[in-house]
Amino acid sequence: KQEVTQIPAALSVPEGENLVLNCSFTDSAIYNLQWFRQDPGKGLTSLLLIQSSQREQTSGRLNASLDKSSGRSTLYIAASQPGDSATYLCAADTNAGKSTFGDGTTLTVKP
Amino acid sequence: DAMVIQNPRYQVTQFGKPVTLSCSQTLNHNVMYWYQQKSSQAPKLLFHYYDKDFNNEADTPDNFQSRRPNTSFCFLDIRSPGLGDAAMYLCATSREGTGLGEAFFGQGTRLTVV
């Protein structure tokens, strides 16, 4: 059974700082690894999707990497802004068609 | 423009009174999902439809059922809500059926049981 862990559970940083969010998964037979953003009381917005054959994906100030062999993915946020404050979730899609989410990292960027 | 729309955004129901949550999509995606998310926890998949094929998760309570009358709409029926069913319910769609793939989520319905 796939288990997805996100560390830390919460993170507070000053504006402008670069930061890394971590996601680990126990079953390396994944199809995709996806990062989402969730604002309080809202649904999920897909940020980046990394297919199993890829090592990283970039979108603006966001960069996500994937290391299947070690069961890890990281989300790097450059030059953080207060508007980046949200909960970030990763989800691992297995070849069996199942998706497992982590509990998320709640990020606060202070002005 | 919203592509996955959930109604209502907030729903209050009485203990044991049946309630239906709705989801519609304008993306013409084959797959629709229902997730339950409790406070500070990961979304938990309840079931999904690939076209009209219904797939129930093994640990989804019998109290939860779903209907997909056409491509655009999907409903979540909770037959006898208990206090433990209070949560955010998220609907999502994707074109593919292998995991979520590129998924689009609605804004969710927050269910309160009194």
Side-chain angles (χ1 to χ4, degrees):
Chain A
K1 179 185 174 184
Q2 178 75 280
E3 292 182 5
V4 178
T5 304
Q6 291 187 246
I7 294 173
L11 182 63
S12 180
V13 300
E15 182 176 4
E17 193 161 297
N18 302 325
L19 58 101
V20 175
L21 306 181
N22 297 292
C23 172
S24 61
F25 46 94
T26 55
D27 183 353
S28 62
I30 64 169
Y31 193 74
N32 295 313
L33 191 291
Q34 194 162 189
W35 283 91
F36 293 88
R37 169 183 174 140
Q38 186 173 32
D39 291 293
K42 300 288 182 64
L44 279 65
T45 301
S46 178
L47 297 173
L48 290 165
L49 183 152
I50 312 175
Q51 295 179 353
S52 61
S53 58
Q54 298 174 325
R55 294 291 297 234
E56 65 177 344
Q57 284 285 338
T58 298
S59 176
R61 294 182 294 107
L62 306 180
N63 176 277
S65 67
L66 174 64
D67 184 343
K68 282 180 58 178
S69 61
S70 66
R72 293 181 182 179
S73 177
T74 61
L75 178 66
Y76 175 82
I77 303 177
S80 58
Q81 303 171 357
D84 295 331
S85 298
T87 296
Y88 292 81
L89 297 113
C90 68
D93 297 345
T94 68
N95 292 339
K98 300 293 186 182
S99 297
T100 304
F101 280 85
D103 286 338
T105 294
T106 298
L107 172 66
T108 302
V109 181
K110 298 179 180 178
Chain B
D1 289 338
M3 296 176 285
V4 181
I5 301 167
Q6 291 188 242
N7 284 304
R9 289 290 315 280
Y10 302 93
Q11 175 75 57
V12 180
T13 191
Q14 292 180 335
F15 183 96
K17 184 175 181 180
V19 65
T20 294
L21 310 181
S22 72
C23 177
S24 63
Q25 55 135 337
T26 59
L27 298 162
N28 205 35
H29 281 171
N30 298 101
V31 194
M32 294 187 77
Y33 308 80
W34 278 106
Y35 283 86
Q36 179 193 65
Q37 186 182 27
K38 297 190 176 180
S39 181
S40 300
Q41 294 184 20
K44 178 180 176 298
L45 182 64
L46 295 174
F47 20 61
H48 74 276
Y49 277 92
Y50 192 108
D51 292 326
K52 285 192 174 292
D53 292 335
F54 177 70
N55 298 272
N56 194 32
E57 293 301 298
D59 55 355
T60 297
D62 292 339
N63 199 23
F64 290 84
Q65 295 182 333
S66 184
R67 298 170 282 137
R68 189 179 185 185
N70 53 52
T71 300
S72 300
F73 286 89
C74 196
F75 300 98
L76 171 61
D77 300 310
I78 308 176
R79 288 191 295 183
S80 182
L83 297 178
D85 296 327
M88 173 76 88
Y89 290 87
L90 298 166
C91 173
T93 74
S94 68
R95 185 172 290 112
E96 301 295 331
T98 306
L100 269 175
E102 184 178 9
F104 295 82
F105 278 78
Q107 289 297 299
T109 294
R110 180 162 297 283
L111 178 68
T112 301
V113 182
V114 298

